[in-house]
Amino acid sequence: MAEAAGPGLGYEECVRPHLDYLYGVALRLCGNRTAAEDLLQDALLRAFRAFRSLRDREHPRRWLTRVLTSAFYDRVRMELNDALHRSVEEDFDLFDKIAEEDPFPYSDRVHLDFLELFDDARILEVLQGLAPQHRVAVILAYVYGFTAREIGEFTGRPVGTVLSWLHRGRKQLERELWEHAVSHHLIDRGAVGR
Amino acid sequence: MISCREAVARLWAYLDRNLERLQEQELEEHLGLCRHCCGELEFARHVRALLQRPGAAVELPTETRAKLEDFIRQLGGGA
């Protein structure tokens, strides 16, 4: 995807090439198409308002990610205090859990079999189970390759906080994947309950 | 040598190439001797790949694209 917009380009030319990318980010953050579209529209409006004062027009994708993330972060701000108090079981290890519980006793690739239970809709659902700040960090870092420093800039939080979000987000993700499989009866509960 | 617990804690940062050189060397030394942690590293790779799938497969719906492009045009036109 083209990154540089060039200093002479206007708002439309700067934004349009990145719509698909932005929709992908919004969909992962929000979990459904309607909310993703709404978030994206909000972000486009914010981007328009900030565009005149934008000095670095060489990296519109990074800038637009920042605007979108900030819009999302503002929306979920009310949930953050609550989420911060939600405990994350940091000792949970999905790899070990699958090995111990062995939900596919006749398989010699039990870990891969477990992951294959998750289609795209289920992955989006699992991501929604993460606390919002963990979700932002996990998605931007592991899906899009942004650094902790960049995510800190996008959300206005220190790098140390983002690193903590990533650690807790990974642990929460592992727990959510397991609980989703159990609660949706994707695995043999007889085997799991042994 | 670092413990399995420490090695596992570094795996995702290792995949992101976010470790300091010494931390990376310590992890690689551990991975060279520990099949369990090699399996866990491979598993982490697969989990990351799983996360990358949904947005990549879903295209911006035509109707939504038209709506957003119209919105952008209106904003641009009003500048």
Side-chain angles (χ1 to χ4, degrees):
Chain A
M1 184 184 293
E3 172 62 48
L9 293 183
Y11 171 76
E12 283 185 63
E13 292 82 1
C14 197
V15 167
R16 194 177 291 120
H18 302 285
L19 280 180
D20 286 288
Y21 161 76
L22 291 169
Y23 182 70
V25 180
L27 186 65
R28 286 186 174 95
L29 288 175
C30 298
N32 69 73
R33 289 170 183 246
T34 307
E37 185 184 324
D38 193 47
L39 174 65
L40 185 46
Q41 194 160 356
D42 182 14
L44 290 171
L45 181 59
R46 287 172 181 236
F48 174 72
R49 287 176 178 153
F51 188 72
R52 280 172 189 274
S53 57
L54 178 66
R55 290 184 179 178
D56 179 12
R57 296 186 183 182
E58 296 297 314
H59 303 97
R61 182 164 145 156
R62 186 179 182 284
W63 171 66
L64 287 164
T65 307
R66 179 182 185 150
V67 173
L68 183 76
T69 303
S70 176
F72 175 74
Y73 201 68
D74 283 351
R75 283 176 179 224
V76 298
R77 200 175 291 277
M78 296 299 286
E79 298 171 42
L80 294 180
N81 285 337
D82 178 48
L84 283 174
H85 292 104
R86 212 182 295 162
S87 67
V88 175
E89 200 178 331
E90 305 220 5
D91 284 342
F92 185 87
D93 187 295
L94 181 59
F95 183 83
D96 288 345
K97 184 76 175 172
I98 294 168
E100 284 164 19
E101 302 279 2
D102 194 12
F104 308 104
Y106 301 106
S107 171
D108 56 0
R109 55 193 293 280
V110 62
H111 290 89
L112 291 182
D113 284 349
F114 179 83
L115 293 181
E116 284 171 7
L117 297 172
F118 294 86
D119 59 18
D120 289 1
R122 289 194 188 283
I123 297 163
L124 289 174
E125 209 175 314
V126 166
L127 285 171
Q128 296 314 296
L130 304 188
Q133 69 275 39
H134 298 167
R135 197 184 322 149
V136 167
V138 164
I139 291 170
L140 293 184
Y142 302 135
V143 179
Y144 295 104
F146 287 102
T147 63
R149 184 180 297 277
E150 286 173 312
I151 297 168
E153 284 172 23
F154 296 168
T155 56
R157 309 297 293 183
V159 174
T161 302
V162 176
L163 289 173
S164 165
W165 287 351
L166 282 172
H167 173 71
R168 293 165 66 84
R170 284 195 305 266
K171 287 288 135 192
Q172 204 187 348
L173 174 70
E174 291 186 16
R175 165 62 81 178
E176 291 290 332
L177 284 166
W178 179 258
E179 288 187 347
H180 185 95
V182 172
S183 65
H184 289 76
H185 309 289
L186 303 179
I187 49 183
D188 178 1
R189 298 208 68 188
V192 170
R194 284 194 317 249
Chain B
M1 192 170 77
I2 60 171
S3 65
C4 285
R5 187 185 174 88
E6 181 57 40
V8 167
R10 295 183 190 180
L11 291 180
W12 286 60
Y14 178 70
L15 292 175
D16 287 336
R17 306 200 61 79
N18 274 342
L19 290 179
E20 301 288 337
R21 187 65 201 130
L22 177 62
Q23 290 180 310
E24 196 173 280
Q25 281 172 349
E26 288 172 340
L27 177 62
E28 285 173 348
E29 184 189 350
H30 182 99
L31 290 170
L33 296 169
C34 181
R35 285 184 63 186
H36 177 275
C37 287
C38 284
E40 186 129 357
L41 176 67
E42 203 48 37
F43 183 64
R45 278 202 180 99
H46 285 291
V47 174
R48 282 164 52 108
L50 195 75
L51 295 179
Q52 290 168 353
R53 231 175 42 200
V58 176
E59 283 191 13
L60 185 55
T62 310
E63 198 179 319
T64 307
R65 181 189 300 281
K67 198 168 148 185
L68 291 173
E69 288 198 342
D70 192 44
F71 183 64
I72 292 168
R73 210 171 299 115
Q74 283 177 27
L75 289 173

